[in-house]
Amino acid sequence: DAGVTQSPTHLIKTRGQQVTLRCSPKSGHDTVSWYQQALGQGPQFIFQYYEEEERQRGNFPDRFSGHQFPNYSSELNVNALLLGDSALYLCASSLELSMGEKLFFGSGTQLSVL
Amino acid sequence: AQSVTQLGSHVSVSEGALVLLRCNYSSSVPPYLFWYVQYPNQGLQLLLKYTSAATLVKGINDFEAEFKKSETSFHLTKPSAHMSDAAEYFCAVAYSGGYQKVTFGTGTKLQVIP
């Protein structure tokens, strides 16, 4: 049973560009959350998708957007990249009906903005 | 708003010594509490979780944590540190009305000295 998979593992972009990160949740999971982890910091909640809709959003600008597909996979898009967007982006999946159930994390996408 | 505070960004212990990582939470409603571990260049892995059952929670690799409502604490302990425990540890909180939005602390990096 595959866990949470993210692609790509590493990415280098320049300021002003746009980037798309992808996530496939653990088999059977229907909820996907995205986190940004800056160097030396804890993960910061970006947003969460359930039933192909954004259900919750953290304190991130509209440059950050996402999508969830019918197969529960998800994309994170960041427009007009800034140097400060350089971070590890983590995807986590879970079951919507299992409050308190643990999040399963992927290994992340390391984004570097030059 | 819910939050967690981890006391000590770096903790060093000798191999075989007690591990104690501190976490205090702030939540206006009964919380769900978690400890996650992150090894270099990897995603986060759940060590243990508290979901209002027993206040003493046992996790993987002999880690345990005790929920103390009077102290709003959820400290992580392990009787005897192993070299393989060297990693970064994150305390996290969620609450039942939060659709599984998990808020992480800033992390504590554990160093194990041989």
Side-chain angles (χ1 to χ4, degrees), chain A residues 5-21:
Chain A
T5 58
Q6 292 186 244
S7 63
T9 55
H10 294 81
L11 205 51
I12 300 175
K13 293 285 188 178
T14 57
R15 282 180 299 174
Q17 285 189 311
Q18 178 265 344
V19 67
T20 298
L21 311 181

Side-chain angles (χ1 to χ4, degrees), chain B residues 55-110:
Chain B
T55 57
L56 182 62
V57 181
K58 294 188 182 297
I60 62 173
N61 299 335
D62 295 327
F63 282 96
E64 64 181 36
E66 185 173 7
F67 173 72
K68 292 187 176 180
K69 185 177 179 180
S70 61
E71 299 177 7
T72 62
S73 68
F74 191 59
H75 302 331
L76 180 71
T77 61
K78 180 173 179 176
S80 177
H82 294 169
M83 296 299 295
S84 60
D85 295 327
E88 189 152 23
Y89 293 79
F90 293 93
C91 182
V93 64
Y95 67 100
S96 61
Y99 293 109
Q100 301 178 19
K101 174 184 174 182
V102 179
T103 301
F104 287 86
T106 53
T108 297
K109 193 163 290 186
L110 176 67

Side-chain angles (χ1 to χ4, degrees), chain A residues 3 12 17-18 23 29 34 37 40 54 56 93 96-97 105:
Chain A
I12 300 175
Q17 285 189 311
Q18 178 265 344
C23 172
H29 283 184
W34 286 93
Q37 185 177 18
E54 182 183 296
Q56 284 199 103
S93 74
E96 191 274 341
L97 294 179
F105 281 85

Side-chain angles (χ1 to χ4, degrees), chain A residues 2-78:
Chain A
V4 179
T5 58
Q6 292 186 244
S7 63
T9 55
H10 294 81
L11 205 51
I12 300 175
K13 293 285 188 178
T14 57
R15 282 180 299 174
Q17 285 189 311
Q18 178 265 344
V19 67
T20 298
L21 311 181
R22 296 177 175 82
C23 172
S24 292
K26 179 179 170 60
S27 178
H29 283 184
D30 56 10
T31 302
V32 172
S33 302
W34 286 93
Y35 287 82
Q36 181 195 65
Q37 185 177 18
L39 190 64
Q41 300 295 318
Q44 298 292 313
F45 178 79
I46 303 175
F47 43 54
Q48 181 183 87
Y49 277 84
Y50 172 68
E51 290 190 341
E52 302 180 48
E53 292 192 359
E54 182 183 296
R55 182 164 65 178
Q56 284 199 103
R57 189 178 184 90
N59 188 25
F60 279 80
D62 291 345
R63 298 186 297 108
F64 289 77
S65 63
H67 189 77
Q68 186 179 34
F69 299 94
N71 67 354
Y72 307 121
S73 67
S74 178
E75 289 182 350
L76 164 65
N77 300 292
V78 186

